[in-house]
């Protein structure tokens, strides 16, 4: 009887590990481009022409595509992230619509203004919070509306939003638009050292990345 209990425990543990692994992967970069798969399709075509990619041209943002993009970025002096942002798109000769470009630019500006001293993951996390708000019924439904909602972001209030974003901020914005969410769905973030609102401390903390606490 004891032997069967041991086997049962082992099976349960293996099941929990597999569930956690699947769940964790689901919180990371999505396999299919969430923002616009046509960008990845075009990137795959161009990378194939240049000899960086030998897989199927299907618009799927899979590991082979990420490796190809990273290799292209490394060879061309572009910040290596594996994402097709404005800088990489221009280098590949990929057209991005005016609305896509505007959304990407504005998101990159906010990321740069709010998180330019943070790690790359910290930059993506700030972008993810903005996009999570766009998807939430409690916030405006556009990137512009979320960023310029009164008193939502310190960088807008003090004018830092007008700084020109660096390449890393563009790539972080693209990663966030492509579905990478290091915050696991958070709607808020703050620096506990400088935060002045007592209300923000009442939010449930999910993860801390660099100097920012991310919460729901």
């Amino acid at each position: 009887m004891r032997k069967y209990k041991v086997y049962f425990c082992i099976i349960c543990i293996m099941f929990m590990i597999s569930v956690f692994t699947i769940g964790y992967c689901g919180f990371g970069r999505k396999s299919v481009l969430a923002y616009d798969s046509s960008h990845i399709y075009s990137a795959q075509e161009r990378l194939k022409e240049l000899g960086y990619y030998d897989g199927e041209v299907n618009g799927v943002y899979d590991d082979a595509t990420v490796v190809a993009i990273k290799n292209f970025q490394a060879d061309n002096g572009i910040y290596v992230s594996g994402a097709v942002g404005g800088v990489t798109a221009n280098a590949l000769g990929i057209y991005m619509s005016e609305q896509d470009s505007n959304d990407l630019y504005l998101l990159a500006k906010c990321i740069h203004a709010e998180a330019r001293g943070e790690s790359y993951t910290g930059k993506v996390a700030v972008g993810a919070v903005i996009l999570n708000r766009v998807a939430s019924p409690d916030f405006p439904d556009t990137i512009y509306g979320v960023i310029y909602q009164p008193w939502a972001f310190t960088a807008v209030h003090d004018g830092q939003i007008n700084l020109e974003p660096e390449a890393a901020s563009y790539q972080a914005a693209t990663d966030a638009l492509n579905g990478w969410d290091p915050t696991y769905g958070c709607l808020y973030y703050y620096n506990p050292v400088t935060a002045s609102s007592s209300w923000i401390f009442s939010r449930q903390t999910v993860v801390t990345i660099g100097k920012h606490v991310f919460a729901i």
Side-chain angles (χ1 to χ4, degrees):
M1 186 68 178
R2 184 176 181 181
K3 181 179 179 180
Y4 289 116
K5 286 184 178 180
V6 172
Y7 285 149
F8 179 77
C9 290
I10 292 174
I11 291 171
C12 288
I13 292 171
M14 292 176 67
F15 175 77
M16 291 175 67
I17 291 173
S18 65
V19 170
F20 175 80
T21 302
I22 294 170
Y24 180 80
C25 291
F27 284 122
R29 172 179 46 78
K30 295 181 180 179
S31 60
V32 178
L33 185 67
Y35 188 50
D36 188 347
S37 62
S38 65
H39 296 158
I40 294 302
Y41 188 94
S42 298
Q44 288 172 334
E45 281 190 321
R46 188 73 180 110
L47 290 165
K48 201 176 187 75
E49 292 173 1
L50 296 171
Y52 287 93
Y53 180 70
D54 60 2
E56 182 182 355
V57 177
N58 53 13
V60 177
Y61 190 56
D62 56 15
D63 290 339
T65 303
V66 172
V67 169
I69 294 170
K70 285 184 175 181
N71 288 337
F72 174 81
Q73 290 169 332
D75 287 348
N76 289 273
I78 302 171
Y79 188 90
V80 178
S81 70
V84 181
V87 177
T88 302
N90 288 338
L92 286 169
I94 296 173
Y95 170 75
M96 296 180 71
S97 72
E98 183 177 352
Q99 185 58 51
D100 288 348
S101 297
N102 288 341
D103 283 348
L104 177 64
Y105 178 57
L106 184 55
L107 187 60
K109 285 178 67 176
C110 196
I111 288 172
H112 179 70
E114 289 277 317
R116 62 182 177 276
E118 295 297 307
S119 66
Y120 185 74
T121 301
K123 296 179 192 297
V124 178
V126 167
V129 166
I130 294 170
L131 296 177
N132 289 340
R133 289 188 179 188
V134 173
S136 169
D138 298 326
F139 294 90
D141 59 2
T142 65
I143 291 175
Y144 181 92
V146 165
I147 291 176
Y148 284 99
Q149 187 175 25
W151 300 101
F153 296 96
T154 302
V156 174
H157 179 66
D158 64 17
Q160 293 186 67
I161 189 70
N162 296 316
L163 297 173
E164 281 300 309
E166 59 189 2
S169 295
Y170 270 108
Q171 296 296 347
T174 304
D175 266 349
L177 286 166
N178 284 349
W180 182 14
D181 183 1
T183 76
Y184 308 106
C186 286
L187 295 171
Y188 308 96
Y189 66 87
Y190 61 93
N191 185 331
V193 176
T194 60
S196 57
S197 171
S198 58
W199 175 85
I200 196 65
F201 291 102
S202 68
R203 310 306 301 180
Q204 180 183 338
T205 297
V206 174
V207 64
T208 298
I209 304 173
K211 295 179 180 179
H212 286 146
V213 173
F214 293 85
I216 55 177

